[in-house]
Amino acid sequence: MPLYINNKTSVKVEDRIETDINLNIAKVHARLGTSMDVVIREFYMGNGQAVAVLFIDNLVNKEILGRDFFAPLQAVSGKEWIKPAQICKEILNIGELREFNNFTELINIVLQGWTALFVAGADSAVAVEAISWPQRGINEPGTDVVIRGPREGFIENVRANAALLRRKIHHADLRVEELSLGKYSNTAIVLIYVDTIANKQVLSEVKKRLQRIDIDAILDSGYVEQFIQDTAYSLFPTVGITEKPDIAAARIMEGRTAILVDGSPVALTVPMFFAEGLQSSEDYYNKFYYASWLRIIRVLAFLANIWLPGLFVAIVSWHPQIIPVRLFLSMAAAEKNTPFSAGLAMLLMLLAYEILKEAGVRLPKPAGQAISIVGAIIMGDAAISAGLISAPVLIALSLTVTASFVTVNLSEVSTVLRLIFLAAGWAMGLYGLLLVNLLLLFYLSSLSSFGLPYFAPFAPLNWQGLKDVVLRFPLWNLQFRPLGLSLNRRRMRVHQQEEK
Amino acid sequence: MVIGKRLLPVLCLCLLFLGACGNRQEIDDVAVVLGVAIDGNEDEYQLTVELAAPKAPDDLGEGVFFVTEGTSLEQAVDELNHQLEKELFWGHLQVIMIGDPMLPRLMEICEYFHSLRQLATSSLIIAAKGNAGEMVQQGFGQADYASFGIAESVRLLQTKSLWPNLRFVMENLQKNRKVDLPYLELVKIGDDTRLAIITQDDIIKEYEDDDE
């Protein structure tokens, strides 16, 4: 039995569906213009009843329409006039069917790929879901790459993405709510959460923020992210992102809400804590000691990523006495022939790296490789040979760049922080670095994500939460969900093995 | 922004401490002092300094020696600054060698060096029987820089107490405690003049080449 939903409501005069098919067709032309992909086809059902079909070419599955829509309609026998509701319930045997009496709502759903059927003599129309458009297959995303763990990633189809999550959480309490955003784009936004786990206050805040968005078009989840984040000018991401269903499912199970945006393979998860930037899905698939080791490496890499250029310049320019003497002399010899100070050289090399990185990402793959080679030769060898920069600067930069790939989730903020720390180290030495660190801690502690403290479990300190930040305790020790995300905090019970 | 308003006084307070960092110096713009020898008499100081002259990252080069004079240590150092047209960097000073006649002024000398910005307080203080300037130029061992050789040898051989670095000597002098400085002396071995370390008149080590 196909799903039938009656969407009939009280409507304004101009939004009425007319009983005369020609009037409806004229209204369609008036609303959609003469777009080449708008298909309107009039025909008679098997019982001689006049109907008109409206759909957008290439958004529908013509095979399904031919088999499950046109064929049953033309096979109707008798002379009796059939109501739209009857057509839905007795004749069509297709996925989802809705009956509309609001013309605007009907047009909106047609624009999403549904097929509309106007019935002569009826003041309502039938909408049939036979959506099909070209889409790429589910494959491994470029980010969140793992050695161990699921490889599938989200795609641009929001319904497929919701299904991927549904496949991970087979429970009646999983809620999948849809809304539409964007005055012109009418983009489908899907909220997914577990009703008995999610914090209702946070959830209502998420919905409130989503409903506040008033924009022409939502083309990617990035639009939504920027509109719903807590602080407009926040350096740190307060909305989590992921391209992988297993990560999204894990976050939903912690009490978060996933927001899927049609047309975007990146799902948003809220609220987000700073510590999430240091976590990877693989941490939970590996043994706890190895996962903890990786976490420590990630923390060190994040710190190296933001501190190293500033620390290098601060030490070389302000506190060279703390460098071992022979290394100091070696560095002095290397710096002797370069025209730039250590700070300026580091800044120029960081800019050169950012340019090369951007070029490498945007260019087609073969050209991207060429740029990488040129970049490596220019930055790695020619710049030193020509005496533009010294080898120690390049070594510090290389370590920084390598470390930046370890915490990809925090790459945007790291790029900015790196420059801030460089400026501080260059202008004020180690004192400047300490000062900026202090300010950064203040700032992190002041941030919140959907009303929850962003720097938790460090501030406010929560010992239970610390079991899954820098170290990853054994799974049986992580019995509680992060504080604030859910009122139902216990996520597992550990049963002692019976002694024989 | 509330946090901004709260932080403003903290930031202003922090700015007060900026002076503590001193001035920024690029490592290739300074003259790095590795060793200093102090000779002279009651009226005059003679300063012999060994400066680092690294040639390339894999060739640290050899020391360059400068000798200056002045009625005070400040004057002698100023004179050296004037000659070099570069600021002296004391952060990697290895040894401060003090000639016999200047030992009564040990406290004064220590206080002067202690007051220098960026001074390595781990610098060794060594007494010299005779002319300290000559000894620092003579070096000890086969190290690329004479001061390295002296510092390394003293650290190896000074077993009686802690290494007599500037901080240690200062603390003891301030508490009127006796400080046993290692003595260096030039000795004749065959036709060669060599440097030897002696303490309390007992020769504990003579420098000899490995092949002798």
Side-chain angles (χ1 to χ4, degrees):
Chain A
M1 183 72 186
L3 175 68
Y4 166 68
I5 298 170
N6 188 341
N7 275 39
K8 285 168 84 172
T9 51
S10 60
V11 288
K12 293 177 192 167
V13 178
E14 63 271 20
D15 271 342
R16 272 188 195 153
I17 289 173
E18 308 294 339
T19 49
D20 183 346
I21 284 185
N22 290 329
L23 282 178
N24 284 327
I25 291 172
K27 275 174 98 170
V28 169
H29 283 309
R31 186 68 63 89
L32 298 180
T34 51
S35 302
M36 49 81 78
D37 58 345
V38 176
V39 179
I40 303 173
R41 194 181 141 195
E42 291 177 77
F43 66 99
Y44 291 99
M45 286 166 51
N47 60 349
Q49 194 172 337
V51 289
V53 173
L54 165 68
F55 60 85
I56 307 291
D57 199 14
N58 290 324
L59 290 190
V60 296
N61 187 328
K62 286 178 184 162
E63 195 185 324
I64 293 176
L65 277 185
R67 189 186 62 219
D68 300 334
F69 181 78
F70 288 111
L73 287 174
Q74 285 169 339
V76 176
S77 58
K79 296 286 177 192
E80 197 184 332
W81 184 79
I82 304 171
K83 289 190 289 185
Q86 253 180 302
I87 293 176
C88 293
K89 289 174 184 168
E90 295 170 16
I91 298 171
L92 298 179
N93 190 20
I94 204 165
E96 191 178 337
L97 296 155
R98 291 186 192 178
E99 188 181 351
F100 285 90
N101 62 346
N102 186 317
F103 186 80
T104 306
E105 283 179 11
L106 182 74
I107 290 296
N108 284 343
I109 206 164
V110 167
L111 292 172
Q112 287 174 22
W114 286 56
T115 302
L117 179 76
F118 294 106
V119 181
D123 61 355
S124 62
V126 175
V128 174
E129 194 211 17
I131 301 172
S132 170
W133 54 64
Q135 65 181 38
R136 69 184 171 97
I138 293 169
N139 48 26
E140 190 172 9
T143 58
D144 298 321
V145 178
V146 290
I147 297 169
R148 181 176 180 178
R151 300 280 198 274
E152 63 189 3
F154 287 127
I155 57 169
E156 285 74 8
N157 184 334
V158 73
R159 282 170 181 265
N161 292 346
L164 286 173
L165 283 174
R166 182 69 86 172
R167 227 180 63 190
K168 300 265 176 206
I169 308 168
H170 303 273
H171 199 279
D173 289 341
L174 186 75
R175 298 284 178 269
V176 181
E177 292 180 15
E178 186 176 343
L179 63 147
S180 172
L181 286 179
K183 218 184 304 173
Y184 287 87
S185 66
N186 272 319
T187 309
I189 310 285
V190 172
L191 259 72
I192 305 185
Y193 58 93
V194 176
D195 199 33
T196 42
I197 296 177
N199 182 333
K200 295 293 181 299
Q201 272 182 320
V202 173
L203 187 65
S204 73
E205 181 64 27
V206 174
K207 288 179 182 172
K208 206 165 76 184
R209 290 187 194 184
L210 283 172
Q211 277 153 4
R212 273 204 313 242
I213 299 175
D214 183 9
I215 189 174
D216 284 351
I218 301 280
L219 302 178
D220 185 77
S221 56
Y223 282 53
V224 178
E225 180 189 352
Q226 290 172 67
F227 278 112
I228 63 171
Q229 63 187 3
D230 285 60
T231 318
Y233 301 105
S234 169
L235 263 182
F236 287 85
T238 51
V239 175
I241 55 169
T242 181
E243 283 192 69
K244 297 193 70 182
D246 59 319
I247 297 176
R251 289 180 186 169
I252 289 170
M253 292 312 299
E254 282 190 332
R256 292 183 176 85
T257 303
I259 303 168
L260 305 176
V261 177
D262 197 28
S264 174
V266 179
L268 308 177
T269 54
V270 289
M272 184 199 177
F273 298 144
F274 171 77
E276 279 177 60
L278 304 170
Q279 295 169 343
S280 154
S281 60
E282 213 172 349
D283 293 349
Y284 303 93
Y285 309 145
N286 286 319
K287 288 191 173 59
F288 73 92
Y289 54 84
Y290 184 61
S292 297
W293 168 243
L294 290 181
R295 287 268 175 93
I296 292 167
I297 293 291
R298 248 174 258 142
V299 171
L300 292 177
F302 174 70
L303 295 178
N305 183 15
I306 61 171
W307 280 351
L308 205 55
L311 191 65
F312 175 83
V313 172
I315 290 175
V316 169
S317 300
W318 290 85
H319 317 279
Q321 65 272 28
I322 66 176
I323 308 172
V325 61
R326 287 182 186 278
L327 177 62
F328 171 86
L329 293 177
S330 172
M331 287 168 73
E335 288 283 339
K336 194 170 63 176
N337 300 320
T338 59
F340 306 119
S341 64
L344 188 58
M346 184 60 84
L347 181 64
L348 291 175
M349 291 308 285
L350 277 175
L351 290 177
Y353 161 67
E354 292 295 335
I355 291 168
L356 282 169
K357 188 175 81 172
E358 193 60 15
V361 171
R362 306 276 164 242
L363 278 171
K365 268 186 186 170
Q369 283 172 355
I371 285 289
S372 305
I373 294 164
V374 169
I377 293 169
I378 290 175
M379 288 179 72
D381 191 31
I384 295 176
S385 308
L388 281 174
I389 55 151
S390 65
V393 170
L394 191 70
I395 292 167
L397 180 86
S398 310
L399 283 171
T400 306
V401 168
T402 310
S404 72
F405 294 117
V406 178
T407 49
V408 181
N409 290 345
L410 296 170
S411 65
E412 283 180 20
V413 64
S414 307
T415 308
V416 179
L417 285 179
R418 198 188 295 147
L419 290 174
I420 293 173
F421 275 107
L422 174 61
W426 195 5
M428 294 182 269
L430 289 179
Y431 170 78
L433 291 184
L434 286 174
L435 187 64
V436 175
N437 267 317
L438 195 66
L439 293 176
L440 188 65
L441 286 175
F442 276 134
Y443 180 67
L444 275 169
S445 306
S446 74
L447 282 178
S448 66
S449 176
F450 290 83
L452 299 179
Y454 182 66
F455 204 36
F458 298 113
L461 191 64
N462 171 241
W463 291 107
Q464 195 71 33
L466 285 176
K467 288 180 175 179
D468 190 18
V469 183
V470 180
L471 298 176
R472 204 277 278 161
F473 275 51
L475 283 180
W476 55 89
N477 258 313
L478 307 176
Q479 295 184 29
F480 297 97
R481 296 188 175 86
L483 197 64
L485 285 178
S486 173
L487 300 176
N488 169 16
R489 285 200 64 211
R490 184 176 281 278
R491 62 176 150 197
M492 71 174 87
R493 286 185 193 281
V494 179
H495 300 286
Q496 297 294 325
Q497 252 185 343
E498 278 181 37
E499 282 180 28
K500 287 178 184 175
Chain B
M1 212 162 80
V2 180
I3 191 82
K5 282 177 189 167
R6 283 183 194 157
L7 276 179
L8 201 63
V10 180
L11 276 173
C12 294
L13 272 174
C14 292
L15 290 172
L16 291 175
F17 297 101
L18 276 181
C21 286
N23 297 324
R24 182 161 56 88
Q25 291 172 314
E26 294 299 329
I27 57 174
D28 50 332
D29 289 342
V30 292
V32 185
V33 184
L34 294 179
V36 58
I38 300 161
D39 296 297
N41 51 45
E42 282 182 5
D43 305 321
E44 198 177 57
Y45 280 90
Q46 190 188 61
L47 208 62
T48 308
V49 297
E50 183 185 28
L51 297 181
K55 291 174 183 165
D58 56 350
D59 180 4
L60 297 185
E62 289 175 355
V64 181
F65 293 91
F66 285 85
V67 181
T68 56
E69 289 173 355
T71 52
S72 63
L73 270 174
E74 289 95 323
Q75 200 184 30
V77 171
D78 286 346
E79 173 62 23
L80 189 61
N81 269 324
H82 184 68
Q83 278 181 37
L84 293 168
E85 293 180 344
K86 268 188 174 182
E87 198 174 333
L88 293 173
F89 178 72
W90 300 91
H92 285 299
L93 183 63
Q94 303 292 305
V95 287
I96 301 169
M97 200 177 292
I98 303 167
D100 255 348
M102 306 303 281
L103 281 178
R105 294 161 115 177
L106 181 62
M107 186 63 183
E108 186 189 326
I109 291 167
C110 287
E111 277 175 350
Y112 173 75
F113 281 105
H114 201 257
S115 70
L116 289 176
R117 190 164 51 84
Q118 293 179 331
L119 185 87
T121 47
S122 59
S123 311
L124 295 179
I125 300 204
I126 301 165
K129 281 216 160 179
N131 190 297
E134 268 179 46
M135 289 183 203
V136 86
Q137 291 184 57
Q138 181 74 29
F140 206 132
Q142 291 180 324
D144 33 15
Y145 288 99
S147 303
F148 285 168
I150 295 170
E152 280 161 17
S153 304
V154 170
R155 283 197 178 103
L156 274 174
L157 298 170
Q158 180 68 19
T159 53
K160 282 190 172 180
S161 62
L162 291 171
W163 296 327
N165 61 42
L166 185 60
R167 181 180 291 163
F168 175 77
V169 173
M170 280 278 287
E171 281 172 4
N172 279 283
L173 288 176
Q174 280 165 352
K175 290 173 187 169
N176 289 322
R177 286 185 193 148
K178 191 177 171 243
V179 184
D180 287 331
L181 292 180
Y183 265 88
L184 281 186
E185 187 175 25
L186 284 174
V187 291
K188 276 266 186 198
I189 299 172
D191 294 335
D192 291 337
T193 307
R194 301 285 172 82
L195 202 58
I197 296 178
I198 55 173
T199 51
Q200 295 170 337
D201 297 330
D202 298 326
I203 294 177
I204 59 170
K205 169 76 180 172
E206 283 180 3
Y207 170 72
E208 287 180 20
D209 286 340
D210 291 340
D211 55 351
E212 286 183 18

